Structure formats: C-alpha cells, structure tokens
Amino acid sequence: MNVLLIEDSKGDIFLIDSAFEELGIKYNLSVMENGKEALEYIVKAESGQASLPAFIILDLNLPIINGFEVLERIKHSIKLKDTPVIIFSSSTEEKDKARALELGAMAYFSKPVDYDTYMTIVESFLGILDL
C-alpha cells in the first residue's frame, strides 16, 4: 500500500512511520516536507511518474505552500480527487477543521502530544479507511 505523507516535522514523520510499523501495516511511505514538494508529487502522480497513494496524510501548516492549497489541488486532480485525505494538524481551530472538510478531506485529527495517542490516531486512520 502506498501512503503519501505531507508533513514538515521530522518528529511527526518518525512517529507516524513508527506507528504504522508497530501496527504491522505493510506500506510504502512517500514523504513530502513542504507544499511545493507535494504539488510536484501530484503532477508526477498524474503523469504516471510517481505511484498513486492509497491515501494521503496532510498537515495544514506547511512551508512554502499551505495544506489548504495542497488539498484543493488534490481534489481538483483527475487521478487523485477520490484519494482519501486525512488532515493531521497541530491546529485545533474549528474554522480550520470546517474548511478542510468542506474542501474534501475525509477526516481531521489534531496532533497529539504523546506516542500512545499517536497509535490511537493511526489506528483511527486505518479504521476510517477500512484497512
């Protein structure tokens, strides 16, 4: 299973990766660390130069191009528009959650402060995606 993680925090990348491994999920993780890299990946995926992800985990607070812009681009992509996008953000603002869901995100999770909660959230990702 191909998973696209769009996240700029090395710590969060490590924790998400660790949680997937601990849960025994077989996956190929592609990590884009800013919005510009994510948009470049989307172009490559549309042209067949990069693998299409089974789902996308997207942070909103990205450098260069923010997560809302990335989400809009994903949802306007012919090849990626139906790909589930899960928002995983440090923002707890209701307006951010509402906007992300309005733009087509499947779910919105606020980043936790401890590893056990990371595990619970990753299990939730998988439950929502029926994996």
Side-chain angles (χ1 to χ4, degrees):
M1 165 175 56
N2 295 317
V3 178
L4 175 58
L5 173 59
I6 307 169
E7 172 63 62
D8 63 315
S9 166
K10 298 275 191 215
D12 287 323
I13 293 166
F14 174 78
L15 290 171
I16 290 169
D17 191 37
S18 296
F20 271 74
E21 284 186 24
E22 191 171 319
L23 291 168
I25 306 301
K26 294 185 187 311
Y27 65 99
N28 296 314
L29 186 65
S30 297
V31 178
M32 303 298 125
E33 294 187 15
N34 63 57
K36 182 177 183 282
E37 285 181 7
L39 294 182
E40 289 168 354
Y41 183 94
I42 291 165
V43 169
K44 287 180 182 178
E46 290 173 330
S47 69
Q49 297 174 349
S51 59
L52 294 172
F55 66 96
I56 299 167
I57 301 170
L58 174 63
D59 184 13
L60 294 178
N61 301 311
L62 296 169
I64 306 174
I65 298 172
N66 73 46
F68 290 116
E69 292 178 62
V70 173
L71 178 58
E72 285 184 276
R73 180 64 178 90
I74 290 167
K75 292 304 175 182
H76 285 96
S77 164
I78 291 171
K79 291 199 175 180
L80 294 171
K81 68 181 178 184
D82 295 324
T83 302
V85 178
I86 296 173
I87 303 299
F88 194 49
S89 178
S90 58
S91 174
T92 58
E93 295 287 326
E94 280 300 316
K95 65 180 175 64
D96 288 343
K97 180 178 181 179
R99 183 174 177 205
L101 295 174
E102 181 180 297
L103 290 173
M106 176 180 248
Y108 188 105
F109 293 92
S110 294
K111 291 180 182 177
V113 293
D114 64 89
Y115 185 71
D116 288 340
T117 308
Y118 259 93
M119 288 297 296
T120 301
I121 288 174
V122 170
E123 287 173 330
S124 296
F125 292 170
L126 302 176
I128 288 170
L129 297 164
D130 200 26
L131 299 174

